[in-house]
């Protein structure tokens, strides 16, 4: 069996002086040196695992996300864009009848109720952001410590591989030659012990390789948690520095626009009233002028009345002439009738004779 003495299977570069120092601490004749070999470096795995577990179970991230979601929900629920919409028919009638407050006043009252919730949520988010940034710093220190632990494991692995290589190439062949010498009756036992110690060291180096793999896997996990915390902290900062002030600015603009719209409505109503009054006055003046000029231009007697009176007068004269003519005709007829009656009387008298 042959192993590299300048690095590990993963290709990490190690300090030769440190590897030589660690290799010198291994004595195959002393089993305790093999058991202690790399134990200090391996003990860091427990601390790293506990730190990873604590970071994963950190409730600050979950609470910060919930607080951020709650704040955004509150902001979305308070829609200031409705001020920019034109009021409906009922809203206009209510304002004209004076039965309700203006929309701007209602929005301000709602804002006063919501402002406390927003400020409380902002304070909680700021506290969560501080804890997240502290977690980021702790995770950065933990990453550096884990990286040092990883390099320490690599140095121990390189030292153990160097001792194994030297043992396989030099120590065991020499012990085998001694065991073949009849003059050394204890040499076979020493060879057996040496091989057992060699195998124990090989298992120990294998355990260190497994521990190094754990360290290698924990590094990206630490970075992932750290990046999530930094992203969430940056999001909280963005909301507190941009979203909330922008929401308040939008509210102020919407209220200003609403006040401007209400003032414009009042001016429009006054202008419409002025126009109606001006039109009504002009129409009244026109109608009065027509009536006055009509009366002024009429004569003392209307032509129709004169014509009607003239027609009545002519008819009266004609009636008088007709009646007079009828009277003359009646008198002539009466004269004729009287003459006839007188003639008949004379005839009757003439015809009368005295008896014999």
């Amino acid at each position: 069996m042959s192993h590299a003495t300048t690095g590990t299977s993963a290709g990490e570069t190690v300090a030769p002086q440190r590897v030589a120092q660690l290799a010198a601490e291994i004595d195959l004749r002393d089993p305790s040196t093999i058991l202690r070999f790399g134990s200090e470096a391996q003990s860091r795995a427990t601390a790293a695992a506990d730190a990873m577990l604590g970071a994963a179970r950190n409730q600050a991230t979950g609470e910060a996300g919930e607080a951020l979601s709650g704040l955004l929900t509150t902001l979305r629920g308070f829609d200031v864009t409705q001020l920019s919409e034109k009021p409906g028919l009922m809203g206009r009638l209510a304002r004209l009848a004076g039965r309700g407050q203006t929309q701007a006043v209602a929005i301000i009252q709602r804002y006063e109720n919501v402002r406390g919730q927003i400020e409380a949520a902002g304070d909680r988010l700021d506290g969560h952001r501080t804890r997240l940034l502290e977690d980021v710093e702790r995770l950065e220190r933990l990453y550096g410590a884990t990286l040092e632990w990883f390099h320490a494991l690599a140095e121990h692995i390189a030292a153990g591989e160097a001792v194994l290589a030297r043992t396989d190439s030099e120590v065991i062949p020499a012990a085998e030659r001694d065991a073949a010498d009849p003059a050394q009756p204890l040499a076979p036992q020493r060879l057996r012990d040496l091989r057992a110690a060699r195998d124990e060291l090989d298992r120990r180096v294998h355990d260190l390789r497994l521990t190094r793999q754990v360290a290698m896997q924990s590094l990206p996990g630490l970075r992932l948690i750290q990046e999530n915390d930094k992203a969430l902290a940056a999001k909280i900062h963005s909301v507190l520095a941009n979203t909330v002030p922008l929401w308040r600015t939008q509210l102020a603009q919407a209220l200003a626009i609403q006040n401007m719209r209400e003032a414009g409505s009042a001016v429009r109503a006054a202008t419409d009233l002025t126009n109606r009054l001006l039109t009504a006055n002009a129409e009244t003046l026109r109608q009065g002028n027509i009536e006055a000029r009509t009366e002024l231009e009429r004569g003392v007697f209307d032509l129709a009345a004169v014509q009607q009176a003239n027609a009545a007068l002519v008819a009266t004269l004609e009636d008088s002439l007709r009646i007079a003519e009828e009277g003359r005709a009646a008198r002539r007829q009466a004269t004729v009738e009287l003459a006839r009656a007188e003639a008949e009387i004379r005839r009757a008298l003439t015809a009368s004779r005295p008896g014999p």
Side-chain angles (χ1 to χ4, degrees):
M1 305 169 85
S2 63
H3 300 274
T5 59
T6 58
T8 66
S9 59
E12 298 88 356
T13 58
V14 294
Q17 297 85 354
R18 178 59 177 165
V19 172
Q21 180 183 358
L22 293 174
E25 296 177 358
I26 301 175
D27 186 359
L28 296 180
R29 293 170 298 180
D30 185 1
S32 64
T33 61
I34 299 176
L35 295 176
R36 291 193 303 269
F37 179 68
S39 59
E40 181 181 357
Q42 273 188 317
S43 64
R44 301 180 187 178
T46 302
D50 292 340
M52 286 286 293
L53 180 60
R57 295 176 59 185
N58 185 11
Q59 296 181 354
T61 302
E63 293 176 355
E66 293 176 359
L68 182 60
S69 299
L71 177 59
L72 295 178
T73 301
T74 302
L75 293 178
R76 292 191 189 99
F78 190 85
D79 187 10
V80 299
T81 58
Q82 59 181 317
L83 288 176
S84 301
E85 300 176 357
K86 293 183 178 180
L89 176 60
M90 297 305 296
R92 290 195 297 269
L93 292 177
R95 282 201 297 271
L96 291 176
R99 291 195 301 267
Q101 297 172 328
T102 62
Q103 191 176 12
V105 173
I107 291 297
I108 292 176
Q109 291 179 349
R110 286 186 55 201
Y111 170 72
E112 292 297 332
N113 296 330
V114 176
R115 183 178 62 179
Q117 301 177 15
I118 295 175
E119 292 178 352
D123 293 340
R124 289 195 302 272
L125 284 176
D126 192 54
H128 289 312
R129 176 175 173 271
T130 301
R131 287 194 293 272
L132 287 173
L133 293 178
E134 293 174 353
D135 289 342
V136 169
E137 294 178 358
R138 285 195 294 268
L139 288 171
E140 184 64 30
R141 292 193 297 270
L142 179 59
Y143 184 88
T146 304
L147 193 61
E148 293 178 359
W149 165 45
F150 178 81
H151 291 313
L153 289 172
E155 292 170 351
H156 281 78
I157 292 172
E161 290 175 344
V163 172
L164 288 173
R166 186 172 65 250
T167 300
D168 291 339
S169 62
E170 300 176 6
V171 179
I172 290 181
E176 289 176 346
R177 289 192 296 271
D178 293 340
D181 185 2
Q184 302 184 31
L186 296 179
Q189 182 61 41
R190 288 196 298 270
L191 175 61
R192 183 179 182 281
D193 292 341
L194 180 61
R195 287 174 175 172
R198 187 264 173 208
D199 292 339
E200 182 65 25
L201 178 60
D202 186 47
R203 287 191 293 270
R204 185 63 180 161
V205 171
H206 179 69
D207 288 342
L208 292 177
R209 291 193 187 100
L210 295 177
T211 305
R212 184 189 60 183
Q213 183 65 26
V214 174
M216 182 182 298
Q217 293 175 352
S218 66
L219 291 175
L222 289 172
R223 282 297 189 222
L224 180 61
I225 298 174
Q226 189 180 35
E227 290 171 0
N228 291 337
D229 288 348
K230 288 192 295 185
L232 186 56
K235 183 65 175 179
I236 293 174
H237 176 72
S238 177
V239 170
L240 295 178
N242 298 317
T243 304
V244 174
L246 180 61
W247 177 80
R248 290 175 175 170
T249 301
Q250 185 184 16
L251 174 62
Q253 292 177 351
L255 289 174
I257 293 173
Q258 179 63 21
N259 292 332
M260 181 178 62
R261 179 179 292 115
E262 292 180 355
S265 298
V267 171
R268 182 170 58 253
T271 302
D272 293 342
L273 178 59
T274 302
N275 292 332
R276 287 196 300 270
L277 291 175
L278 181 61
T279 303
N281 291 338
E283 186 63 27
T284 302
L285 177 61
R286 177 173 177 269
Q287 187 64 31
N289 181 72
I290 291 174
E291 294 176 358
R293 295 304 301 179
T294 300
E295 294 299 326
L296 289 174
E297 294 301 330
R298 289 179 61 187
V300 178
F301 301 105
D302 291 340
L303 179 59
V306 173
Q307 290 177 345
Q308 184 178 1
N310 186 71
L313 180 58
V314 170
T316 300
L317 294 176
E318 290 177 350
D319 290 341
S320 298
L321 292 175
R322 179 178 53 78
I323 293 171
E325 182 65 26
E326 291 177 352
R328 285 193 295 270
R331 285 193 299 273
R332 285 194 299 268
Q333 183 66 29
T335 301
V336 173
E337 291 296 332
L338 289 175
R340 181 182 299 113
E342 183 180 355
E344 289 180 355
I345 292 173
R346 286 178 179 179
R347 181 180 58 80
L349 292 176
T350 303
S352 298
R353 293 178 178 177

